[in-house]
Amino acid sequence: MTVAAPYWNPKTECMPREQLRALQLAKLRAVTEWAQARSPFYRRSFAAARFSADQLRTLDDIQRIPFLTREQWMHSQDERPPYGELPVAGREVAIRLHTTSGTSGSTPLRALDSRKDWAWAAEMWAYALWGIGVRATDIGYVAFGYGSFIGFWGLHYGLEKVGALTIPGGAQTTAARVRQIVDFGATVVATTPTYAMRMAQEAEALGIDLPGSAVSRLVLSGEPAGSIVETKTLIERQWGAKAFDTAGMTEVSTIFMFEPENQPGGCHIIEDHFIEEVIDPQTGDRLGYGERGERVCTSFGRSMIPLLRYRTADLVVRQPAAAAGNGRTWDLYEGGIVGRADDMKLVRGTNVYPGAIEAILRTHDGIEEFQIRIERRGARDEVVLQVEPHPRFDDAAWTALAEALVVELAEAHEGLLFILERAATGALPRFELKAKRLSDLRPAGAHTTVRA
Amino acid sequence: MSSTPSAEGPAVTRDLLDNPLTGEERKLLDAYRLLRELAREAPTPCVAANVRAALAPIAVAVTDLGLSFEHLLDDGC
């Protein structure tokens, strides 16, 4: 079946790129006119930039549209609570409200969606699930708490849409979820990378053989996964299953990219529903293939909240479609989301990036959890790495691990020495959704956050 | 073609890229236009709710195929 029908929507997934660009332009004109006519926010924003929807004559004219930032969205919410002036219709038209998880700011964004918006959100997941190889014969387990965070809600509906038997994990203990996955014969499990590892630890403690279970595919989202090969490899070993990267965001309401079944080392952008640009985060200039920069997202799917040129702070490297070698004409993000512009820290002149640290840690067996703490000690900034090893680690094994990590971390960070601390078993926090492993405890103004 | 003119105007015969519609695409657009009309006629609640629930994924399908691109908030979707 996979060979016979590899594409959810062959018409656009394999469309010649000049036609794809023409289709994007037609949709861009429509959504920009819609935003200009309906949204007070966009009317002001366009006027300030001396832009009007009728100026869109070619796809490159998208660069005339002003950027939308998270700060603007939040400011609009604060000025006109609770939803701000981005929505083009009142809450009485909406059927769903979701919020961001709050990992990048104290105030969550609030996003309203219509019935059609949610049908579209499920459709984007259907593109991904089908491309990953999920079919009606599959049994999908959603290891997710179903809260106001938008998370895997869309995946749930996407699983139903492709006809899979869908099992909502809901609010249960990790042990109960692991048992259900095995007892119900789940073939597909959807989770964050962090929680995939957490469930594997729990299975080991319960004496459950996950690699011997029916699970053949893991759908990962919510955190970098494809970009951290070592983490992905570890998860695949723990589960005895292939792990596929996806990424979305509340601002979009669903996912915008997925790693296809042939796993070409990157994720396809769903280009008939999104225009994705990569820019230099400092200058705003557009970057080309192979250049690392900030992704800017324009979405055609939302009616309630038009999303035009949203600066995501995600760092990506775009590659042409041919690199995938699977017949799709959609471009790729090599390695998925390779980092967050706002996650990068400057410590004594050296860039410290959590993903790079995690990549080193995951090459070592027996690390259960970790936390990164940046703090001021006297006149110096220090990076403290708390590592929780597997309970089987004795003192000698821990010492050997710590010594190896110090050397490897220094080599990867221009000689910067990390302070290693051993955390007791179960002492570090576990996460179901997005993990928060970095704390910058330095006094305000005493350090610089580098955007890229 | 099988498309029937409706209150929305003459039947659409070409997609967003100005290609002629296939037979399957014409039928899909017919269903879409009919559901839109039904949704606007404000029938009984059970009909209205279910027509809107049916219209939403059909709207996604016509967008997927590049046949039409509309926002539908005014139709309650």
Side-chain angles (χ1 to χ4, degrees):
Chain A
M1 191 166 185
T2 300
V3 173
Y7 312 112
W8 178 252
N9 178 9
K11 181 171 181 178
T12 54
E13 289 183 60
C14 302
M15 183 176 268
R17 285 200 67 81
E18 72 267 20
Q19 287 184 34
L20 187 59
R21 286 175 64 82
L23 184 61
Q24 288 178 323
L25 178 59
K27 291 183 177 181
L28 178 65
R29 283 179 177 145
V31 78
T32 307
E33 287 166 3
W34 174 252
Q36 184 169 288
R38 296 280 193 124
S39 163
F41 174 90
Y42 279 110
R43 263 201 302 279
R44 278 197 303 276
S45 168
F46 289 0
R50 300 187 179 194
F51 168 76
S52 174
D54 59 15
Q55 294 172 359
L56 293 172
R57 295 186 179 85
T58 73
L59 207 52
D60 285 339
D61 290 334
I62 192 174
Q63 293 175 91
R64 297 177 176 220
I65 299 175
F67 290 124
L68 168 66
T69 66
R70 183 189 179 92
E71 290 71 26
Q72 288 173 318
W73 189 327
M74 292 176 73
H75 179 71
S76 181
Q77 283 186 177
D78 291 340
E79 290 285 301
R80 300 229 175 212
Y83 307 115
E85 290 190 309
L86 267 79
V88 299
R91 64 155 181 76
E92 67 280 0
V93 181
I95 60 156
R96 295 282 287 270
L97 168 65
H98 282 282
T99 67
T100 52
S101 58
T103 51
S104 298
S106 56
T107 306
L109 291 183
R110 304 171 189 119
L112 292 169
D113 282 302
S114 71
R115 192 187 316 270
K116 195 215 73 181
D117 294 353
W118 263 95
W120 170 76
E123 183 77 356
M124 296 305 97
W125 273 105
Y127 271 105
L129 291 166
W130 195 266
I132 287 168
V134 179
R135 296 291 184 269
T137 48
D138 276 300
I139 300 173
Y141 191 90
V142 189
F144 171 62
Y146 291 85
S148 67
F149 173 55
I150 208 161
F152 287 101
W153 281 97
L155 172 132
H156 177 111
Y157 298 123
L159 276 173
E160 290 182 351
K161 196 162 198 171
V162 301
L165 175 61
T166 306
I167 306 169
Q172 299 187 79
T173 64
T174 300
R177 286 175 174 166
V178 170
R179 286 198 183 95
Q180 283 192 335
I181 287 167
V182 175
D183 292 348
F184 295 152
T187 57
V188 178
V189 173
T191 179
T192 63
T194 294
Y195 198 60
M197 291 184 281
R198 172 77 192 99
M199 286 191 284
Q201 290 171 7
E202 190 69 28
E204 183 188 358
L206 294 168
I208 291 173
D209 175 25
L210 274 187
S213 74
V215 178
S216 63
R217 290 176 172 83
L218 294 157
V219 183
L220 304 178
S221 205
E223 299 168 328
S227 59
I228 305 176
V229 176
E230 295 80 2
T231 300
K232 191 173 163 187
T233 303
L234 173 63
I235 293 170
E236 290 185 333
R237 195 169 68 239
Q238 288 174 324
W239 284 77
K242 295 302 292 179
F244 295 90
D245 192 19
T246 67
M249 61 196 325
T250 306
E251 294 90 320
V252 170
S253 96
T254 184
I255 59 164
F256 55 86
M257 68 170 204
F258 66 90
E259 184 179 11
E261 190 168 20
N262 69 325
Q263 296 193 303
C267 293
H268 277 299
I269 303 163
I270 306 177
E271 286 197 86
D272 61 335
H273 290 269
F274 297 96
I275 296 175
E276 292 271 330
E277 301 167 85
V278 184
I279 63 165
D280 181 319
Q282 307 290 350
T283 65
D285 294 340
R286 185 178 282 187
L287 300 177
Y289 285 131
E291 295 185 285
R292 177 177 163 134
E294 179 181 355
R295 59 172 283 264
V296 172
C297 179
T298 294
S299 166
F300 302 136
R302 265 223 171 107
S303 299
M304 286 291 295
I305 304 177
L307 197 79
L308 294 168
R309 303 199 84 202
Y310 181 70
R311 290 192 63 160
T312 65
D314 288 338
L315 297 176
V316 290
V317 178
R318 187 168 181 146
Q319 294 293 356
N326 58 26
R328 287 184 183 83
T329 52
W330 293 347
D331 282 351
L332 299 162
Y333 281 140
E334 182 182 327
I337 305 299
V338 296
R340 290 278 304 169
D342 47 10
D343 263 2
M344 207 173 290
K345 299 292 182 183
L346 191 64
V347 180
R348 284 189 262 148
T350 299
N351 284 337
V352 174
Y353 178 62
I357 296 173
E358 177 169 350
I360 291 169
L361 292 177
R362 298 302 183 201
T363 61
H364 294 270
D365 287 332
I367 294 177
E368 300 278 283
E369 257 303 339
F370 68 96
Q371 286 276 301
I372 305 162
R373 206 170 64 235
I374 305 174
E375 57 189 35
R376 173 65 54 85
R377 293 187 176 184
R380 288 165 62 94
D381 291 342
E382 302 285 4
V383 187
V384 180
L385 186 60
Q386 284 183 293
V387 176
E388 184 184 321
H390 192 279
R392 71 170 179 268
F393 270 54
D394 59 20
D395 288 346
W398 162 253
T399 301
L401 173 66
E403 287 176 354
L405 285 176
V406 167
V407 171
E408 290 170 30
L409 289 164
E411 285 176 353
H413 292 87
E414 301 175 25
L416 184 70
L417 288 178
F418 286 54
I419 297 171
L420 268 288
E421 289 181 356
R422 180 178 185 171
T425 299
L428 298 185
R430 264 60 172 176
F431 304 91
E432 177 186 340
L433 293 173
K434 295 179 182 180
K436 187 177 186 328
R437 296 193 173 98
L438 174 67
S439 303
D440 191 343
L441 305 177
R442 292 173 290 184
H447 59 282
T448 305
T449 298
V450 181
R451 284 196 56 100
Chain B
M1 63 180 275
S2 64
S3 296
T4 307
S6 72
E8 293 182 53
V12 176
T13 58
R14 309 186 82 81
D15 68 13
L16 293 175
L17 296 176
D18 206 29
N19 297 314
L21 303 180
T22 66
E24 179 192 56
E25 290 170 343
R26 282 201 305 271
K27 289 176 183 173
L28 186 64
L29 267 182
D30 284 346
Y32 174 64
R33 290 159 63 93
L34 179 59
L35 285 169
R36 287 195 71 182
E37 286 175 20
L38 284 169
R40 287 171 179 166
E41 286 168 2
T44 53
C46 71
V47 176
N50 285 295
V51 165
R52 285 173 185 152
L55 176 56
I58 298 295
V60 172
V62 301
T63 305
D64 272 355
L65 296 181
L67 310 183
S68 178
F69 179 50
E70 294 166 293
H71 303 284
L72 301 187
L73 292 183
D74 296 335
D75 296 335
C77 276

